[in-house]
Amino acid sequence: MSGNKETIRLENLVIGYETKTVAEGINASLNSGELTCLIGPNGAGKSTLMRTICAFQKKLGGSIFIEGKELSDYPDKELARKIGVVLTHRPQIQNMSVEELVALGRSPYTGFFGRLTEEDKRIVAEAIDMIGITSLKDRMIQNLSDGERQKVMIAKAIAQQTPLICLDEPTAFLDFPSKIETMQLLKKLCREQGKTIFLSTHDLELTLQIADRIFLMQNGTITSGTPQETAQSGALSSFIEREGIIFDKLQMRVKISR
Amino acid sequence: MRKTPILILLGFLILVLLVVNLLLGSVKIPAGDTLAILFGDRSNEIFSNIILKSRLPQALVAIMAGAGLAVSGLQMQTVFRNPLAGPSVLGISNGASLGVAIVVLMSSSLAGVSLSRIGYAGDAAISIAAIIGSLAVMTLIVWVARKVKGNVTLLIIGVMIGYLVTAIVGVLKFFSAEEDIKAFVVWGLGSFARVSGDRMLLFVGMMAVLLPLSFLLVKTLNLMLLGDDYARNLGLNISRSRTLVILNSGVLVAIVTAYCGPIMFIGLAVPHLCRAIFRTSDHRILVPGTILTGAALALLCSLIARMPGFEGALPVNSVTALVGAPVIASVIFRRRKDDVRE
């Protein structure tokens, strides 16, 4: 995919908490029009990296450039127009319709009282249509299935009109068909809208089939590349293989040896 | 259903309740005379005193207090994402109690004057003490809010401060004269009738300024519904917003409590009632909704507390709970059943 421009660049990034460094020496970039998946064992720091890029927590060192400008130099409201997030856990909201929630995605653009202009309303309707949830738009959030609710949150991120969308394990609680459906939807957004999409996941085989780029996070750092590159380099094997589990580099599949 | 007509209907209900509040009471005053008095007729001194110095101030105080407590409860429930949060939960009204306890219970032993005997000046001292007490606790809470991250942590700390303050009040009571304790207990029962004259105007004036301020926070509150991370991602400064909401909410409670005593239940229940009536979480509807519903409910309670037979002796706190609890429980219960059926 040539012609895609760099949306985010991580340079010598160090992440973690005040008392503990989780990963360091992270050098990687995310490109527009690409679906990048972050994989790695539990505790490797996937969420920490995700939260650091979304500015939910401070980096310990290095730089994060978003469209060429350092993350910490963005004012709150401007950053809200660059990164849209979708989280694992569903928000506990009662009595809010799908349409109202997607409309909250317009908050970085609306005025003091959050009143929607005709333009905002059109963008909200488009986002809902694009995700294919028009039939749900008057339903209350609490009456949706997990898969439907995750689509609503993605529609919110679309309405937010950010070049970058970060999703922290968006498919964790979904049933298998919904996982695939959600991933396909995200892939489509990359291709058709030129979005930069970055998500963390544990669904390895699905990821290898659909991702444009893989970030493998283990042992305190990141290896990045296309699924094929990551497989060939042996990095995936070292992540997956243990007694009784083999990673087939050619077919990119996990096999269980009896 | 459209939301605006319901708001207009609520406004109309308040007007009706206000009129009924002026007309009904232990002394029978003809409607024509009441109207004449409101338009400046002072020929019957007893009647005009009852209307202008008792019924009208009481109704106005009830409107403002009910509105203030209700919107404050809504703000607390949203900012803490906890349906059981209310004005009393962060210890802010306990702070008012502490202020009053110090003034009422300690005055005789420290200054040699029993405040329960000196009337007007005593009342003013009580109001000021209550405001200082609740603002002190609120400042502490805001300070803690800037230090801790989680809302649950903050809520627990708030509840603990509440217990601590109540314990101090308990100790103060132990060392106090019996008549002072009685004065303190009476203050604690809550009343819309305690404020009149200039102090009533001051109270109503302050609330008339503070209540509109809560409209400035509707977008903030709507975003807070999504949880901290989503809200922050949409450009909200969580720490500053939380502080602003607690400040607005806390000052409203402090002032109402200072003038009316700790009024229970309205702050907790009205937001739930409104969510059930309007079927929305949108604060652009809920803020005016709770203000109007709170005012109406307080007027109703004030009316019942003055019904023949009670002669104003029935504490507002008993009425708010007796009237409100069944009504609200049934409304919420019915709505829940509808939800299940959908």
Side-chain angles (χ1 to χ4, degrees), chain B residues 70-109:
Chain B
V71 78
S72 163
L74 175 71
Q75 291 176 330
M76 293 279 183
Q77 287 174 9
T78 300
V79 79
F80 292 108
R81 274 189 289 287
N82 189 320
L84 289 180
S88 54
V89 85
L90 281 183
I92 293 173
S93 46
N94 303 64
S97 299
L98 179 63
V100 172
I102 290 174
V103 167
V104 174
L105 302 178
M106 301 296 284
S107 58
S108 50
S109 43

Side-chain angles (χ1 to χ4, degrees), chain B residues 30-31 137:
Chain B
V137 170

